[in-house]
Amino acid sequence: MTDILSKKLESKIDKKLISKAKRKTLDDGFKKGKVVNEVLDKPTVMTLYKMITDHIIAYVNGAVSAGKESVLFWGVDENDSDVALKIYLVSTSNFKKREPYILGDPRFSNVKKGTKNLVYLWAKKEYRNLTQCFEAGIPVPKPLHVTNNVLAMEFVGENGAPGKSLLDSQVDEDDYKQSIQIILDMYQKAKLVHGDFSEYNIFKTQNGLVVFDLGSAVDLRHPNTQEFLKRDINNITRFFKKRGVSVEDTDKLFEDIVK
């Protein structure tokens, strides 16, 4: 099986990221849980391989952006449609800071100890949040599949380049209204609060705004829901105000959303 996997990866995954996995076996590239570029450890490679054999994706072109907790890869499915593969880093300790967004969410009451388990749960949580939003008609990347630390979803962008965020775009009053509408719809329709809503986590596309990075989103039954909601409103309001856009009173917005 390792022979088949190595050949698959040689032609499908970015050569720079798997230079150590090009041999007939995976031994040298993955000794004792070693990772390649902090992303492609052996379990992650096996997860990608399974996604290929399960026909979820056809191949992976390579990484297109990276953060402290995850790396975004540009994949392609068997219909030549682009797929975003969000691979959560199992080698990072940042996820320990994310426990407050999981503990207290009744959808995830059984949290196993260990960084790997927390990372896998976070991927599952983001997939579920995306699904709830997508089914409620909220503009998010369409969720496609999740296995272990790999989340597959619609690719927002063109030719492997992710779309521009609000931070890197010219914004106007319509963008502000759309942003507030997303917060309201997430709360009233999807029964979620984003928890990390900002200019960094919203794409501006030709068809309107698209919100992403929903791993932090919590169920309305979470004890810190209202605190997170106020923070989301304040953060996005502060951004638009700095850009010279007329904004509404944040306290009034909060009351209108939760009523």
Side-chain angles (χ1 to χ4, degrees), residues 46-136:
M46 298 301 290
T47 297
L48 289 171
Y49 174 72
K50 188 175 188 304
M51 291 174 70
I52 291 173
T53 58
D54 287 347
H55 307 286
I56 296 164
I57 56 174
Y59 59 92
V60 183
N61 283 316
V64 294
S65 66
K68 294 180 180 179
E69 298 173 349
S70 64
V71 176
L72 187 70
F73 281 72
W74 171 26
V76 179
D77 67 16
E78 294 180 339
N79 297 317
D80 290 328
S81 296
D82 291 340
V83 176
L85 297 170
K86 189 172 184 178
I87 300 181
Y88 303 84
L89 306 181
V90 295
S91 59
T92 182
S93 61
N94 286 334
F95 276 99
K96 294 179 182 178
K97 301 176 183 179
R98 294 295 194 173
E99 285 186 343
Y101 296 94
I102 296 178
L103 300 177
D105 192 323
R107 300 173 301 165
F108 305 96
S109 57
N110 185 21
V111 181
K112 296 181 180 180
K113 294 182 179 180
T115 300
K116 185 179 74 171
N117 291 326
L118 188 59
V119 171
Y120 286 7
L121 181 59
W122 193 263
K124 181 180 178 181
K125 182 172 183 278
E126 179 155 14
Y127 178 82
R128 183 162 177 177
N129 289 338
L130 283 169
T131 300
Q132 284 183 223
C133 288
F134 185 79
E135 291 178 348

XYZ file of all heavy atoms in Angstrom, residues 46-136:
736
model
N -2.056 9.873 4.856
C -2.976 8.753 4.694
C -4.423 9.249 4.554
O -5.216 8.676 3.799
C -2.864 7.796 5.885
C -1.488 7.173 6.043
S -0.965 6.240 4.592
C -2.069 4.831 4.681
N -4.751 10.317 5.271
C -6.089 10.899 5.152
C -6.307 11.454 3.747
O -7.364 11.240 3.133
C -6.279 12.024 6.189
O -6.191 11.473 7.510
C -7.638 12.698 6.023
N -5.314 12.155 3.214
C -5.416 12.681 1.848
C -5.529 11.544 0.835
O -6.302 11.624 -0.126
C -4.194 13.556 1.528
C -4.125 14.906 2.246
C -2.767 15.555 2.014
C -5.238 15.829 1.776
N -4.754 10.510 1.060
C -4.803 9.359 0.155
C -6.200 8.735 0.148
O -6.747 8.402 -0.902
C -3.767 8.327 0.569
C -3.841 7.040 -0.220
C -3.426 7.004 -1.548
C -4.336 5.869 0.357
C -3.501 5.835 -2.284
C -4.415 4.705 -0.378
C -3.997 4.687 -1.689
O -4.083 3.533 -2.423
N -6.792 8.604 1.335
C -8.138 8.038 1.424
C -9.157 8.929 0.730
O -10.104 8.439 0.097
C -8.536 7.830 2.887
C -9.849 7.058 3.052
C -10.151 6.767 4.504
C -11.356 5.820 4.630
N -12.560 6.304 3.959
N -8.980 10.242 0.831
C -9.893 11.160 0.155
C -9.789 11.033 -1.363
O -10.770 11.224 -2.082
C -9.618 12.596 0.597
C -9.997 12.852 2.051
S -9.534 14.498 2.655
C -10.679 15.517 1.735
N -8.589 10.686 -1.837
C -8.411 10.447 -3.268
C -9.087 9.144 -3.681
O -9.835 9.088 -4.657
C -6.908 10.415 -3.633
C -6.300 11.811 -3.489
C -6.713 9.921 -5.074
C -4.788 11.848 -3.662
N -8.856 8.088 -2.909
C -9.451 6.789 -3.255
C -10.963 6.787 -3.069
O -11.675 6.013 -3.711
C -8.828 5.658 -2.408
O -9.026 5.927 -1.013
C -7.331 5.541 -2.701
N -11.474 7.674 -2.200
C -12.922 7.788 -2.005
C -13.559 8.761 -3.003
O -14.752 9.052 -2.907
C -13.228 8.263 -0.576
C -12.980 7.181 0.463
O -12.816 6.010 0.066
O -12.941 7.502 1.664
N -12.725 9.293 -3.916
C -13.199 10.176 -4.997
C -13.749 11.500 -4.490
O -14.568 12.139 -5.148
C -14.256 9.467 -5.857
C -13.813 8.137 -6.384
N -12.907 8.014 -7.421
C -14.120 6.870 -5.995
C -12.687 6.737 -7.670
N -13.401 6.019 -6.813
N -13.272 11.941 -3.337
C -13.647 13.252 -2.833
C -12.808 14.316 -3.532
O -13.303 15.397 -3.879
C -13.456 13.317 -1.311
C -14.407 12.328 -0.637
C -13.687 14.729 -0.783
C -14.050 12.019 0.793
N -11.537 14.015 -3.739
C -10.644 14.860 -4.532
C -9.896 13.983 -5.518
O -9.806 12.765 -5.339
C -9.626 15.620 -3.645
C -8.824 14.638 -2.770
C -10.328 16.672 -2.806
C -7.705 15.293 -1.987
N -9.375 14.623 -6.575
C -8.576 13.887 -7.551
C -7.085 14.078 -7.281
O -6.297 13.154 -7.408
C -8.917 14.346 -8.974
N -6.710 15.296 -6.918
C -5.307 15.567 -6.591
C -5.203 16.886 -5.837
O -6.179 17.641 -5.709
C -4.428 15.599 -7.849
C -4.818 16.633 -8.881
C -4.264 17.916 -8.880
C -5.726 16.318 -9.894
C -4.611 18.846 -9.839
C -6.076 17.256 -10.861
C -5.516 18.507 -10.826
O -5.860 19.444 -11.782
N -3.995 17.160 -5.341
C -3.719 18.374 -4.581
C -2.588 19.123 -5.268
O -1.532 18.564 -5.542
C -3.306 18.042 -3.128
C -3.086 19.321 -2.340
C -4.354 17.166 -2.459
N -2.810 20.404 -5.541
C -1.781 21.204 -6.206
C -0.720 21.711 -5.236
O 0.451 21.774 -5.563
C -2.424 22.406 -6.916
C -3.091 22.010 -8.215
O -2.532 21.245 -8.991
N -4.291 22.511 -8.456
N -1.118 22.103 -4.054
C -0.149 22.604 -3.088
C -0.766 23.615 -2.156
O -1.957 23.922 -2.228
N 0.054 24.155 -1.248
C -0.424 25.107 -0.250
C -0.574 26.489 -0.866
O 0.245 26.918 -1.682
C 0.547 25.156 0.918
N -1.636 27.198 -0.464
C -1.867 28.551 -0.991
C -1.874 29.602 0.113
O -1.712 30.790 -0.167
C -3.189 28.626 -1.785
C -3.103 27.768 -3.033
C -4.383 28.200 -0.939
N -2.074 29.201 1.361
C -1.990 30.143 2.476
C -1.780 29.359 3.765
O -2.087 28.171 3.831
C -3.259 31.004 2.578
O -4.385 30.213 2.914
N -1.249 30.041 4.757
C -0.954 29.361 6.012
C -1.235 30.265 7.197
O -1.064 31.487 7.123
C 0.508 28.907 6.034
N -1.685 29.658 8.284
C -1.909 30.372 9.529
C -1.249 29.631 10.666
O -0.527 28.656 10.451
N -1.511 30.079 11.888
C -0.895 29.450 13.060
C -1.466 28.066 13.322
O -0.794 27.204 13.880
C -1.094 30.327 14.291
C -0.359 31.654 14.227
C -0.606 32.455 15.496
C 0.128 33.784 15.452
N -0.118 34.588 16.680
N -2.718 27.845 12.926
C -3.397 26.604 13.266
C -3.673 25.705 12.081
O -3.994 24.533 12.254
C -4.727 26.922 13.965
C -4.550 27.681 15.270
C -5.865 28.124 15.861
O -6.894 28.027 15.155
O -5.881 28.554 17.030
N -3.555 26.232 10.864
C -3.905 25.426 9.695
C -3.190 25.931 8.456
O -2.679 27.060 8.427
C -5.427 25.457 9.461
O -5.847 26.774 9.162
N -3.177 25.089 7.440
C -2.658 25.456 6.124
C -3.739 25.138 5.097
O -4.364 24.073 5.158
C -1.359 24.692 5.789
C -0.897 25.010 4.371
C -0.267 25.049 6.791
N -3.975 26.067 4.183
C -4.978 25.858 3.145
C -4.310 25.346 1.874
O -3.371 25.969 1.368
C -5.717 27.163 2.850
C -6.912 27.031 1.896
C -8.064 26.293 2.571
C -7.378 28.407 1.419
N -4.786 24.190 1.383
C -4.267 23.609 0.155
C -5.302 23.762 -0.958
O -6.511 23.759 -0.718
C -3.959 22.121 0.342
C -2.655 21.853 1.042
C -2.508 22.108 2.399
C -1.571 21.348 0.342
C -1.314 21.864 3.051
C -0.361 21.096 0.986
C -0.236 21.355 2.341
N -4.802 23.861 -2.172
C -5.646 23.942 -3.363
C -5.773 22.551 -3.963
O -4.822 21.992 -4.487
C -5.010 24.914 -4.365
C -5.635 24.954 -5.716
C -6.922 24.641 -6.063
C -4.996 25.359 -6.930
N -7.131 24.830 -7.410
C -5.957 25.267 -7.960
C -3.713 25.801 -7.242
C -5.667 25.587 -9.296
C -3.424 26.128 -8.563
C -4.394 26.019 -9.572
N -6.957 21.979 -3.839
C -7.221 20.668 -4.407
C -8.150 20.767 -5.599
O -8.744 21.817 -5.873
N -8.270 19.674 -6.308
C -9.145 19.599 -7.477
C -9.902 18.279 -7.426
O -9.315 17.241 -7.105
C -8.339 19.694 -8.802
C -9.265 19.579 -10.013
C -7.558 21.006 -8.858
N -11.206 18.320 -7.715
C -11.975 17.079 -7.697
C -12.008 16.451 -9.087
O -11.381 16.950 -10.032
C -13.385 17.303 -7.143
C -14.262 18.178 -8.036
O -13.922 18.388 -9.226
O -15.302 18.663 -7.548
N -12.741 15.359 -9.231
C -12.753 14.622 -10.491
C -13.526 15.337 -11.592
O -13.483 14.933 -12.758
C -13.316 13.223 -10.250
C -12.407 12.382 -9.358
C -12.951 10.993 -9.104
O -14.177 10.784 -9.258
O -12.154 10.099 -8.744
N -14.230 16.410 -11.243
C -14.924 17.233 -12.236
C -14.144 18.489 -12.574
O -14.681 19.425 -13.180
C -16.317 17.616 -11.719
C -17.222 16.414 -11.514
O -17.261 15.512 -12.347
N -17.933 16.393 -10.394
N -12.866 18.514 -12.168
C -11.979 19.660 -12.378
C -12.439 20.917 -11.665
O -12.094 22.036 -12.063
C -11.805 19.951 -13.882
C -10.990 18.887 -14.593
O -10.086 18.317 -13.947
O -11.257 18.610 -15.780
N -13.215 20.756 -10.602
C -13.617 21.894 -9.778
C -12.617 22.068 -8.644
O -12.138 21.086 -8.067
C -15.017 21.663 -9.197
O -15.987 21.586 -10.226
N -12.301 23.322 -8.331
C -11.364 23.589 -7.251
C -11.981 23.244 -5.892
O -13.175 23.470 -5.667
C -10.959 25.061 -7.256
C -10.100 25.412 -8.460
O -9.516 24.498 -9.058
O -10.015 26.615 -8.789
N -11.159 22.719 -5.013
C -11.585 22.365 -3.663
C -10.572 22.943 -2.681
O -9.369 22.839 -2.881
C -11.651 20.828 -3.480
C -11.995 20.480 -2.037
C -12.662 20.218 -4.437
N -11.076 23.579 -1.634
C -10.194 24.068 -0.568
C -10.016 22.966 0.457
O -10.994 22.408 0.960
C -10.793 25.307 0.074
N -8.773 22.633 0.755
C -8.457 21.625 1.764
C -7.794 22.322 2.945
O -6.657 22.775 2.856
C -7.521 20.566 1.191
C -8.078 19.733 0.034
C -6.963 18.900 -0.588
C -9.218 18.845 0.502
N -8.525 22.440 4.019
C -7.988 23.075 5.221
C -7.409 21.983 6.106
O -8.138 21.133 6.611
C -9.094 23.836 5.950
C -8.592 24.708 7.082
C -9.717 25.579 7.626
C -9.221 26.536 8.695
N -10.313 27.419 9.193
N -6.099 22.001 6.239
C -5.411 20.984 7.026
C -4.966 21.612 8.347
O -4.143 22.525 8.376
C -4.206 20.404 6.269
C -4.680 19.760 4.961
C -3.472 19.394 7.133
C -3.579 19.128 4.152
N -5.554 21.134 9.424
C -5.246 21.660 10.747
C -3.950 21.033 11.250
O -3.747 19.825 11.134
C -6.394 21.361 11.712
C -7.720 21.909 11.258
C -8.510 21.195 10.357
C -8.196 23.129 11.715
C -9.735 21.682 9.921
C -9.413 23.629 11.290
C -10.177 22.907 10.402
O -11.382 23.392 9.968
N -3.092 21.854 11.816
C -1.775 21.390 12.230
C -1.851 20.591 13.529
O -2.285 21.113 14.559
C -0.832 22.581 12.430
C -0.713 23.546 11.241
C 0.259 24.665 11.571
C -0.263 22.799 9.995
N -1.423 19.364 13.465
C -1.418 18.516 14.668
C -0.196 18.787 15.523
O -0.097 18.291 16.649
C -1.465 17.015 14.284
C -2.773 16.680 13.610
C -0.279 16.639 13.401
N 0.739 19.571 15.009
C 1.979 19.832 15.740
C 1.949 21.156 16.499
O 2.942 21.565 17.077
C 3.159 19.861 14.759
O 2.967 20.870 13.778
N 0.818 21.847 16.499
C 0.741 23.136 17.160
C 0.078 23.024 18.528
O -0.747 22.144 18.769
C -0.045 24.148 16.306
O -0.065 25.405 16.976
C -1.476 23.690 16.078
N 0.442 23.936 19.413
C -0.178 23.972 20.741
C -1.267 25.035 20.807
O -1.919 25.212 21.835
C 0.888 24.269 21.808
O 1.488 25.534 21.571
N -1.481 25.771 19.701
C -2.455 26.862 19.708
C -3.867 26.386 19.983
O -4.704 27.147 20.475
C -2.422 27.607 18.369
C -1.193 28.492 18.239
O -0.638 28.934 19.236
N -0.758 28.741 17.025
N -4.156 25.134 19.649
C -5.515 24.642 19.815
C -5.924 24.553 21.284
O -7.109 24.549 21.597
C -5.682 23.283 19.127
C -5.969 23.404 17.658
C -4.969 23.256 16.727
C -7.251 23.701 17.205
C -5.226 23.382 15.375
C -7.518 23.829 15.855
C -6.508 23.677 14.942
N -4.957 24.503 22.174
C -5.295 24.466 23.595
C -6.001 25.753 24.013
O -6.787 25.770 24.956
C -4.023 24.254 24.425
C -3.379 22.887 24.190
C -2.110 22.717 25.003
C -1.462 21.369 24.729
N -0.193 21.200 25.490
N -5.708 26.847 23.286
C -6.355 28.121 23.574
C -7.784 28.160 23.044
O -8.531 29.104 23.335
C -5.543 29.261 22.951
C -4.108 29.355 23.445
C -3.341 30.440 22.704
C -1.884 30.487 23.138
N -1.113 31.525 22.398
N -8.133 27.152 22.256
C -9.462 27.126 21.650
C -10.485 26.368 22.486
O -11.651 26.306 22.118
C -9.366 26.482 20.256
C -8.571 27.294 19.246
C -9.244 28.596 18.957
N -8.719 29.274 17.789
C -9.237 30.380 17.262
N -10.305 30.909 17.814
N -8.707 30.948 16.207
N -10.067 25.812 23.586
C -10.990 25.034 24.418
C -12.231 25.803 24.855
O -13.326 25.235 24.912
C -10.250 24.473 25.636
C -9.339 23.308 25.303
C -8.726 22.676 26.542
O -8.754 23.331 27.603
O -8.230 21.546 26.436
N -12.119 27.126 25.174
C -13.324 27.864 25.584
C -14.422 27.888 24.526
O -15.593 28.102 24.862
C -12.791 29.278 25.853
C -11.355 29.077 26.213
C -10.907 27.948 25.337
N -14.050 27.660 23.248
C -15.047 27.651 22.178
C -15.698 26.279 22.009
O -16.647 26.127 21.243
C -14.406 28.070 20.847
C -13.890 29.489 20.843
C -12.566 29.780 21.150
C -14.736 30.552 20.520
C -12.083 31.079 21.147
C -14.268 31.859 20.510
C -12.942 32.108 20.822
O -12.472 33.403 20.827
N -15.156 25.294 22.706
C -15.711 23.937 22.641
C -16.405 23.573 23.949
O -17.544 23.125 23.948
C -14.603 22.909 22.328
C -14.018 23.166 20.932
C -15.154 21.487 22.412
C -12.898 22.231 20.550
N -15.696 23.810 25.063
C -16.282 23.520 26.368
C -17.481 24.440 26.589
O -17.376 25.664 26.467
C -15.249 23.739 27.473
C -13.979 22.873 27.391
C -13.009 23.238 28.503
C -14.334 21.401 27.457
N -18.620 23.855 26.853
C -19.835 24.638 27.021
C -20.754 24.570 25.822
O -21.921 24.936 25.902
N -20.223 24.089 24.679
C -21.064 23.885 23.494
C -21.686 22.494 23.611
O -20.977 21.491 23.543
C -20.219 23.981 22.222
C -21.058 24.072 20.953
O -22.119 23.405 20.894
O -20.670 24.804 20.024
N -23.005 22.411 23.807
C -23.647 21.108 24.045
C -23.537 20.133 22.877
O -23.756 18.936 23.050
C -25.109 21.484 24.317
C -25.290 22.810 23.659
C -23.976 23.507 23.810
N -23.169 20.612 21.714
C -23.000 19.721 20.557
C -21.736 18.880 20.684
O -21.589 17.860 20.008
C -22.946 20.533 19.260
C -24.189 21.363 18.968
C -23.954 22.250 17.750
N -22.833 23.141 17.969
C -22.208 23.820 16.988
N -22.604 23.665 15.733
N -21.201 24.620 17.266
N -20.822 19.326 21.542
C -19.543 18.637 21.692
C -19.243 18.473 23.176
O -18.337 19.104 23.726
C -18.431 19.423 21.001
C -18.717 19.714 19.552
C -19.267 20.929 19.180
C -18.472 18.771 18.574
C -19.550 21.205 17.846
C -18.759 19.027 17.243
C -19.302 20.246 16.880
N -20.020 17.617 23.810
C -19.905 17.452 25.262
C -18.797 16.489 25.674
O -18.273 16.560 26.779
C -21.237 16.965 25.836
O -21.637 15.749 25.218
N -18.414 15.580 24.783
C -17.402 14.571 25.113
C -16.071 14.948 24.466
O -15.790 14.584 23.331
C -17.858 13.192 24.626
C -16.894 12.094 25.050
O -16.125 12.280 25.995
N -16.922 10.969 24.350
N -15.266 15.718 25.188
C -13.986 16.190 24.661
C -12.861 15.340 25.231
O -12.588 15.370 26.442
C -13.751 17.674 25.022
C -12.415 18.148 24.450
C -14.903 18.534 24.516
N -12.189 14.585 24.384
C -11.091 13.737 24.822
C -9.824 14.568 24.980
O -9.609 15.543 24.263
C -10.851 12.613 23.815
C -12.014 11.633 23.684
C -11.685 10.540 22.680
C -12.836 9.559 22.545
N -12.542 8.488 21.563
N -8.987 14.178 25.914
C -7.748 14.892 26.164
C -6.742 14.631 25.047
O -6.791 13.626 24.369
C -7.167 14.476 27.518
C -8.025 14.882 28.712
C -7.357 14.486 30.015
C -8.204 14.914 31.215
N -7.571 14.539 32.499
N -5.809 15.556 24.902
C -4.762 15.402 23.898
C -4.941 16.372 22.750
O -6.064 16.621 22.299
N -3.810 16.934 22.273
C -3.854 17.917 21.198
C -4.458 17.339 19.921
O -5.278 17.979 19.261
C -2.437 18.444 20.900
O -1.904 19.063 22.062
C -2.468 19.466 19.763
N -4.077 16.111 19.565
C -4.582 15.512 18.331
C -6.098 15.380 18.366
O -6.782 15.706 17.387
C -3.941 14.138 18.094
C -4.352 13.525 16.746
C -3.691 12.174 16.529
C -4.345 11.105 17.395
N -3.847 9.743 17.044
N -6.627 14.904 19.491
C -8.073 14.756 19.608
C -8.781 16.098 19.517
O -9.864 16.214 18.932
C -8.428 14.077 20.931
C -8.004 12.618 20.969
O -8.038 11.926 19.960
N -7.594 12.154 22.137
N -8.167 17.126 20.094
C -8.755 18.463 20.054
C -8.747 19.013 18.636
O -9.722 19.633 18.195
C -7.977 19.398 20.982
C -8.571 20.792 21.199
C -9.972 20.702 21.790
C -7.672 21.620 22.110
N -7.673 18.760 17.906
C -7.583 19.208 16.509
C -8.637 18.513 15.656
O -9.331 19.155 14.849
C -6.172 18.936 15.942
C -6.146 19.187 14.440
C -5.147 19.828 16.633
N -8.775 17.197 15.819
C -9.777 16.449 15.055
C -11.182 16.953 15.364
O -12.024 17.082 14.471
C -9.683 14.958 15.379
C -8.491 14.238 14.770
C -7.490 14.943 14.104
C -8.361 12.858 14.871
C -6.401 14.288 13.556
C -7.271 12.190 14.316
C -6.293 12.918 13.667
O -5.210 12.259 13.117
N -11.431 17.248 16.642
C -12.743 17.750 17.041
C -12.993 19.139 16.459
O -14.105 19.454 16.041
C -12.848 17.795 18.570
C -14.193 18.273 19.140
C -15.329 17.374 18.657
C -14.143 18.310 20.659
N -11.951 19.952 16.418
C -12.086 21.305 15.854
C -12.456 21.243 14.372
O -13.304 22.012 13.902
C -10.781 22.070 16.045
C -10.920 23.542 15.785
C -10.616 24.206 14.632
C -11.392 24.535 16.703
N -10.864 25.539 14.771
C -11.344 25.775 16.036
C -11.843 24.494 18.019
C -11.734 26.967 16.641
C -12.240 25.681 18.627
C -12.179 26.895 17.934
N -11.834 20.329 13.643
C -12.164 20.159 12.221
C -13.620 19.736 12.064
O -14.349 20.263 11.208
C -11.239 19.119 11.588
N -14.048 18.807 12.894
C -15.437 18.338 12.863
C -16.392 19.474 13.226
O -17.466 19.621 12.621
C -15.603 17.173 13.838
C -17.001 16.573 13.877
C -17.055 15.421 14.881
C -18.460 14.831 14.974
N -18.517 13.718 15.971
N -15.996 20.290 14.190
C -16.817 21.414 14.631
C -16.976 22.441 13.517
O -18.070 22.957 13.269
C -16.185 22.066 15.860
C -16.969 23.232 16.461
C -16.331 23.633 17.784
C -17.122 24.744 18.475
N -16.773 26.076 17.937
N -15.878 22.755 12.819
C -15.991 23.736 11.731
C -16.870 23.204 10.600
O -17.670 23.940 10.020
C -14.615 24.127 11.190
C -14.714 25.128 10.041
C -13.504 25.993 9.845
O -12.435 25.681 10.424
O -13.610 26.984 9.108
N -16.741 21.913 10.308
C -17.581 21.311 9.268
C -19.058 21.421 9.649
O -19.899 21.775 8.818
C -17.196 19.848 9.064
C -18.050 19.128 8.051
C -17.795 19.250 6.695
C -19.126 18.333 8.450
C -18.580 18.591 5.750
C -19.918 17.674 7.524
C -19.634 17.808 6.170
O -20.431 17.164 5.259
N -19.356 21.138 10.898
C -20.746 21.212 11.350
C -21.266 22.645 11.310
O -22.400 22.895 10.911
C -20.877 20.637 12.763
C -22.314 20.628 13.267
C -22.495 19.689 14.418
N -23.852 19.734 14.948
C -24.299 18.963 15.927
N -23.486 18.076 16.477
N -25.540 19.076 16.362
N -20.430 23.596 11.732
C -20.835 25.003 11.689
C -21.086 25.470 10.257
O -22.057 26.181 9.985
C -19.767 25.877 12.339
C -19.712 25.706 13.846
O -20.676 25.271 14.469
N -18.573 26.040 14.437
N -20.210 25.078 9.347
C -20.397 25.414 7.939
C -21.699 24.827 7.412
O -22.448 25.490 6.672
C -19.221 24.893 7.104
C -17.913 25.675 7.167
C -16.787 24.877 6.514
C -18.051 27.028 6.484
N -21.968 23.583 7.793
C -23.183 22.908 7.336
C -24.432 23.627 7.841
O -25.385 23.859 7.073
C -23.193 21.442 7.798
O -22.044 20.767 7.265
C -24.449 20.734 7.323
N -24.440 23.993 9.111
C -25.594 24.700 9.668
C -25.818 26.032 8.957
O -26.960 26.410 8.661
C -25.408 24.937 11.172
C -25.638 23.703 12.015
C -25.526 23.966 13.511
O -24.919 23.178 14.245
N -26.103 25.051 13.976
N -24.750 26.739 8.687
C -24.860 28.028 8.003
C -25.285 27.854 6.550
O -26.151 28.582 6.054
C -23.535 28.776 8.077
S -23.155 29.434 9.714
N -24.675 26.889 5.876
C -24.991 26.665 4.466
C -26.458 26.293 4.303
O -27.149 26.803 3.402
C -24.098 25.562 3.903
C -24.261 25.341 2.425
C -23.663 26.189 1.513
C -25.022 24.270 1.948
C -23.816 25.982 0.137
C -25.180 24.066 0.590
C -24.577 24.925 -0.315
N -26.954 25.427 5.171
C -28.357 24.998 5.098
C -29.322 26.125 5.463
O -30.483 26.113 5.047
C -28.581 23.796 6.008
C -27.880 22.529 5.516
C -28.049 21.343 6.445
O -28.527 21.555 7.597
O -27.715 20.215 6.032
N -28.823 27.121 6.201
C -29.656 28.267 6.572
C -29.579 29.385 5.539
O -30.198 30.434 5.718
C -29.223 28.791 7.939
